[in-house]
Amino acid sequence: MAAIGREKRRLAVAIPASLASDTPHLREKTAKVGLIARACAIFGVRDIVLYADDASREQGEDLRFCDLILRFVDTPQYLRKRIFHLTPSLRFTGILPPLQTSPHNVPRFLRDCKVGDIREGIVTGRRSGILSVDVGLERTLECSGNLPTGTRVTVRLTGLGKNLDCEIIEESKISIYWGYRVRQPKLRLGSLLEKEKFDLTIGTSRYGTRLADAWSEISSSIRNGGSILLAFGSPRIGLREILKQEGKVPEDIFDFFVNTMPDQNVTSVRTEEAVLATLGILNVMGSR
């Protein structure tokens, strides 16, 4: 299956802070955010952008919860205890399915590793320009650098002799999908899209144009590559109402404002359902 997140494309999704606000129990809140993480991983989303969608109330707690769960799920299990403190918000993360992305599927023991392997790690010490990096193996690795303790890094193994050597690499240099990053730009959606330039922006709504009517144009734009942002509304209000709070309309913000699930047979489609279904459709549209 062709993935929408292939290297020549960089796909981002915009998710409202109130994603889980209509769910009273922490277990169900956690599961809802976990479904977003899983859908984004399946289809190679590189950026999850969390935005405030309700001008009538402060949404800092909602944003922090979504950010925490999304980052926790994306982190390889061997690093979680070093990066995340025990907190009630993580109580039900055990119910979430693993992402099984490349950073998670790495050897557990040194004997199974080879030079060139790429792993996620965290800096645990620094001395004379040499960093100690924990990558979940029996021993820590060493590499040149000047980063503070606690910094998360991506490294490539360069030596498996007496000393375990590695080099820090940028994720942009990795040719395979390496997970997503979570961003909170602290801007409302309309202002975000005016400030950050994407090659293609798509808003989703039951009141948008039927996707079939824009299929050819959107497919062509996706295949041309570049950066793509796909935006979703909240459980309570859609993108049109969210943008209205800023005095904006979707037609002035998005390149396409479409209904990806026409003729739906339920009163409303949940955000996590819309994300999975729409990413699947766009994946087909971008296939050659």
Side-chain angles (χ1 to χ4, degrees):
M1 177 183 290
I4 210 170
R6 62 182 65 178
E7 272 307 299
K8 68 176 183 177
R9 304 173 194 142
R10 188 175 184 97
L11 179 62
V13 297
I15 302 296
S18 59
L19 166 69
S21 64
D22 64 335
T23 306
H25 196 281
L26 178 62
R27 181 186 178 95
E28 281 65 47
K29 285 180 182 288
T30 303
K32 183 171 288 197
V33 180
L35 286 174
I36 296 289
R38 181 71 177 168
C40 289
I42 289 171
F43 294 106
V45 170
R46 292 302 187 97
D47 295 274
I48 300 178
V49 182
L50 299 175
Y51 71 92
D53 57 285
D54 189 346
S56 67
R57 65 188 185 91
E58 203 280 324
Q59 292 187 281
E61 185 175 345
D62 292 336
L63 287 166
R64 287 189 291 272
F65 176 76
C66 291
D67 175 85
L68 177 64
I69 301 300
L70 289 169
R71 288 190 298 107
F72 183 88
V73 176
D74 183 57
T75 301
Q77 190 168 10
Y78 61 82
L79 285 181
R80 290 175 180 173
K81 287 185 178 180
R82 283 195 176 275
I83 294 176
F84 298 95
H85 300 294
L86 289 177
T87 171
S89 294
L90 296 174
R91 180 181 175 188
F92 292 105
T93 52
I95 69 171
L96 300 177
L99 291 193
Q100 296 182 315
T101 51
S102 295
H104 296 238
N105 294 328
V106 294
R108 296 178 58 189
F109 303 104
L110 272 172
R111 64 173 181 266
D112 301 317
C113 295
K114 62 182 183 299
V115 171
D117 284 352
I118 300 174
R119 302 177 68 101
E120 288 292 290
I122 189 166
V123 177
T124 58
R126 181 180 63 182
R127 185 181 62 181
S128 302
I130 300 298
L131 302 177
S132 296
V133 183
D134 180 1
V135 296
L137 295 172
E138 299 98 309
R139 291 187 283 155
T140 58
L141 275 62
E142 293 184 348
C143 68
S144 300
N146 195 33
L147 298 173
T149 300
T151 302
R152 183 172 169 176
V153 293
T154 304
V155 301
R156 179 187 289 114
L157 276 64
T158 58
L160 292 173
K162 181 178 180 181
N163 294 324
L164 301 179
D165 299 320
C166 65
E167 62 179 356
I168 297 173
I169 60 173
E170 298 178 11
E171 289 188 24
S172 61
K173 305 297 184 183
I174 303 174
S175 60
I176 57 176
Y177 180 64
W178 204 251
Y180 55 74
R181 65 170 178 165
V182 186
R183 297 197 290 124
Q184 293 184 54
K186 298 182 179 179
L187 291 172
R188 297 209 170 269
L189 184 60
S191 300
L192 168 70
L193 292 179
E194 290 175 344
K195 181 178 180 180
E196 297 191 19
K197 300 303 179 184
F198 294 87
D199 296 308
L200 174 64
T201 56
I202 303 172
T204 61
S205 169
R206 67 184 303 174
Y207 302 110
T209 302
R210 290 176 67 92
L211 181 60
D213 297 333
W215 186 280
S216 178
E217 289 182 90
I218 295 177
S219 295
S220 177
S221 297
I222 292 174
R223 290 170 182 169
N224 286 336
S227 57
I228 304 168
L229 179 113
L230 185 62
F232 296 90
S234 77
R236 293 191 177 94
I237 58 175
L239 288 177
R240 189 176 295 280
E241 293 78 12
I242 290 171
L243 291 172
K244 187 177 180 180
Q245 296 174 125
E246 299 180 70
K248 305 179 190 299
V249 295
E251 291 75 14
D252 293 338
I253 295 298
F254 299 108
D255 296 316
F256 296 95
F257 187 59
V258 295
N259 181 358
T260 58
M261 287 176 286
D263 305 321
Q264 64 189 51
N265 296 301
V266 294
T267 303
S268 62
V269 175
R270 296 174 177 176
T271 304
E272 66 275 18
E273 296 167 338
V275 170
L276 181 60
T278 303
L279 287 174
I281 294 169
L282 261 66
N283 188 60
V284 173
M285 298 176 79
S287 301
R288 295 187 181 275

